[in-house]
Amino acid sequence: MILTYCYRIKPSPEQIAIMERWLELLRRHWNYALGQRLDWLHRTRSPIDRCSLISEPIGVIPEAVNYYTQQAALKETKRLFPDYKQIYAETQQVNLQRLNKAWDRWRKPVKHGLRGGRPRFKKQGQLRSFVFPRVNSPRAGAHLKDGFLLLSRIGQIPVVMHRPIPDGFTLKQCTVVKKANGWYCCISMKDDTVPELLPVDSVRSAVGIDVGLEKFLTTSDGEAIPIPQFYRKAQNKLALAQQVMSRRVKGSKNWEKAKKKVALLHLHLTRCRKEFHYQVAHWLCSKYDHYAHENLNIKGLARTKLAKSIHDAAWGAFLEILQAVAVRRGLLVQEVNPRGTSIECSNCGSLVEKSLSNRVHHCSSCKVKIDRDWNSGINILNRGLLAVGLPLNGCGKLAQDAVEQQVSFVNLRSPHHNL
């Protein structure tokens, strides 16, 4: 299992100038390499039996452009532009590998015929990280020891080691990142102590999780987590900061200061949301052995009028964190089909149609009346148990006299998010 620890680093002004120069040179090389690939694509995709209505380049068909040809051209790049000799060689190769990965996601569809978007040219300041692919090995470009990070051609930088690296972990790569409030190093390491997944026969407790916008999530046991709405609560302050930035002359010093303030606000919101997600994930993993959640089409949901609230809740990020925390503990996570979980009665199986504004599930067949999110959580749990072959006994089936039951809210330690 690969884990990533992110540490704050404190480079000197000279080292900051070097790293910012590296980022600018790598950005230019990214744009040039991407332009090569797009030019090759346009020249080799023109139909031979008809002409384009707009324009198509003509001439000799160029040779194929890929990662290996562009990597071999690095020697010529350094000869023509000596500034690139100052950049660590493997860092330049990783920059081309990133482009190649983005290109393949666009050109080669994955399952179901889906593919990523076209790689974009990067404007000034949009490339914010570079990578040293080896750490603490004999020929590595990065060495982390005794609270200092030694980077090839940059120098030794103090590191704020807010948590120690566990013994027995193998350091794999170091990514230097420029954020709104300073510089960071993200150390990727391999953990060989990950426990094996819990056998299905050993599962003692299971839960179904229904995420939403009125409540962040509701479990099949009737417990709910209130939704924090970090972005919604900070909208006014963000709008004011963006208004100040829009009134500055673009490119001026005051514009840069206002832009940094907006970036700091967004960074703070991101960290508050991430801390909240980890708190919820660890709370769940400390109580249950098996988790079932809906396999939601979050991209499709985010195209509706509820897009802002859905992005604020960040269900996808939370489910990824839950998966990572569960795997680290050897627990089971199961995705289920979300179709019909809100309208199916968890007690008798009848379909009860309801609008989004109707927050109570009231079945006329078995007279069950409970919160609709709780009802969905029980259905999700039942489907998750069936998927792994566990019996439904004791999984939260409602009794016939379950009337007017309310969801109980769980109070987690809220992160510090004073804006």
Side-chain angles (χ1 to χ4, degrees):
M1 181 178 182
I2 300 296
L3 299 178
T4 302
Y5 285 6
C6 193
Y7 298 102
R8 181 81 177 264
I9 60 177
K10 296 184 176 181
S12 65
E14 294 79 10
Q15 291 170 333
I16 291 176
I18 293 173
M19 292 189 292
E20 287 182 342
R21 181 61 178 166
W22 280 27
L23 291 177
E24 176 61 19
L25 291 174
L26 292 172
R27 181 191 71 87
R28 295 177 183 178
H29 193 218
W30 168 287
N31 289 344
Y32 176 78
L34 177 58
Q36 269 189 321
R37 288 173 177 256
L38 292 175
D39 181 65
W40 169 80
L41 184 68
H42 293 157
R43 287 180 179 271
T44 56
R45 292 302 182 273
S46 179
I48 61 173
D49 59 339
R50 56 193 177 275
C51 296
S52 171
L53 292 176
I54 306 173
S55 63
E56 285 291 346
I58 59 175
V60 180
I61 297 177
E63 296 182 0
V65 179
N66 52 40
Y67 166 70
Y68 300 101
T69 60
Q70 292 183 328
Q71 182 188 15
L74 282 174
K75 186 176 181 180
E76 183 67 13
T77 300
K78 294 177 182 178
R79 188 185 68 82
L80 296 174
F81 305 96
D83 287 346
Y84 284 92
K85 294 180 181 179
Q86 303 170 8
I87 304 178
Y88 187 62
E90 290 185 350
T91 299
Q92 298 180 62
Q93 295 171 11
V94 173
N95 191 46
L96 290 176
Q97 291 170 12
R98 286 176 164 183
L99 174 60
N100 187 64
K101 188 175 181 180
W103 183 267
D104 287 343
R105 280 200 302 264
W106 176 47
R107 297 297 301 162
K108 300 177 183 178
V110 294
K111 60 181 180 180
H112 309 305
L114 301 177
R115 65 178 72 206
R118 195 187 81 170
R120 298 183 180 182
F121 294 102
K122 295 186 181 295
K123 299 179 182 179
Q124 190 170 6
Q126 283 189 336
L127 188 65
R128 301 184 183 92
S129 66
F130 55 87
V131 180
F132 290 88
R134 292 186 287 181
V135 182
N136 286 2
S137 61
R139 302 186 64 181
H143 296 269
L144 180 62
K145 188 176 181 181
D146 299 331
F148 287 92
L149 179 65
L150 179 61
L151 300 178
S152 176
R153 306 186 185 184
I154 294 177
Q156 185 171 272
I157 305 175
V159 182
V160 181
M161 303 290 292
H162 62 277
R163 60 174 174 177
I165 295 177
D167 295 332
F169 281 36
T170 305
L171 304 187
K172 288 295 184 181
Q173 75 175 22
C174 172
T175 304
V176 180
V177 185
K178 181 184 179 182
K179 295 187 179 181
N181 64 339
W183 293 83
Y184 292 81
C185 68
C186 299
I187 307 296
S188 298
M189 58 195 77
K190 186 178 180 181
D191 180 13
D192 295 325
T193 62
V194 177
E196 294 183 358
L197 289 179
L198 187 71
V200 175
D201 298 338
S202 302
V203 172
R204 294 292 177 266
S205 57
V207 66
I209 302 167
D210 179 65
V211 294
L213 297 178
E214 185 185 41
K215 299 177 283 291
F216 179 70
L217 65 82
T218 305
T219 68
S220 55
D221 291 338
E223 294 179 312
I225 304 293
I227 191 163
Q229 292 188 324
F230 295 113
Y231 183 79
R232 289 282 187 183
K233 293 176 182 177
Q235 275 188 119
N236 292 337
K237 193 162 187 177
L238 271 170
L240 181 61
Q242 289 168 340
Q243 185 182 60
V244 171
M245 185 182 73
S246 68
R247 292 177 177 176
R248 300 289 184 261
V249 178
K250 189 171 183 179
S252 65
K253 292 292 184 180
N254 287 335
W255 180 82
E256 291 287 349
K257 292 178 183 178
K259 180 183 177 183
K260 185 175 181 180
K261 187 174 181 180
V262 174
L264 286 172
L265 285 172
H266 280 291
L267 180 63
H268 186 69
L269 290 175
T270 302
R271 287 174 171 174
C272 288
R273 189 181 294 113
K274 187 174 183 180
E275 182 184 354
F276 171 74
H277 287 166
Y278 268 105
Q279 288 179 8
V280 177
H282 282 289
W283 172 74
L284 287 170
C285 291
S286 63
K287 292 187 65 175
Y288 304 99
D289 297 332
H290 176 68
Y291 310 90
H293 66 82
E294 296 174 303
N295 183 15
L296 296 172
N297 178 18
I298 300 177
K299 273 190 176 181
L301 293 172
R303 295 191 185 101
T304 64
K305 62 181 180 180
L306 299 173
K308 185 182 290 187
S309 297
I310 291 172
H311 285 306
D312 192 10
W315 299 329
F318 166 71
L319 294 176
E320 287 182 0
I321 289 174
L322 177 63
Q323 176 78 26
V325 173
V327 170
R328 187 68 181 84
R329 299 189 181 201
L331 306 178
L332 303 174
V333 178
Q334 179 65 43
E335 291 183 343
V336 302
N337 184 2
R339 188 175 183 84
T341 56
S342 296
I343 63 175
E344 181 182 341
C345 181
S346 55
N347 189 52
C348 65
S350 303
L351 299 182
V352 182
E353 297 290 343
K354 56 179 78 71
S355 63
L356 189 61
S357 60
N358 189 357
R359 307 310 303 173
V360 177
H361 170 79
H362 189 187
C363 181
S364 57
S365 301
C366 60
K367 307 303 180 184
V368 166
K369 188 176 182 180
I370 61 170
D371 183 88
R372 68 176 287 165
D373 296 330
W374 186 4
N375 177 73
S376 298
I378 297 173
N379 288 329
I380 293 168
L381 173 61
N382 293 340
R383 296 183 184 187
L385 293 176
L386 287 173
V388 297
L390 288 174
L392 301 184
N393 295 333
C395 66
K397 279 283 187 177
L398 298 176
Q400 292 286 341
D401 56 353
V403 180
E404 296 290 352
Q405 297 193 50
Q406 299 295 325
V407 171
S408 61
F409 283 84
V410 176
N411 292 321
L412 296 176
R413 180 179 61 85
S414 60
H416 176 71
H417 55 277
N418 295 326
L419 294 174

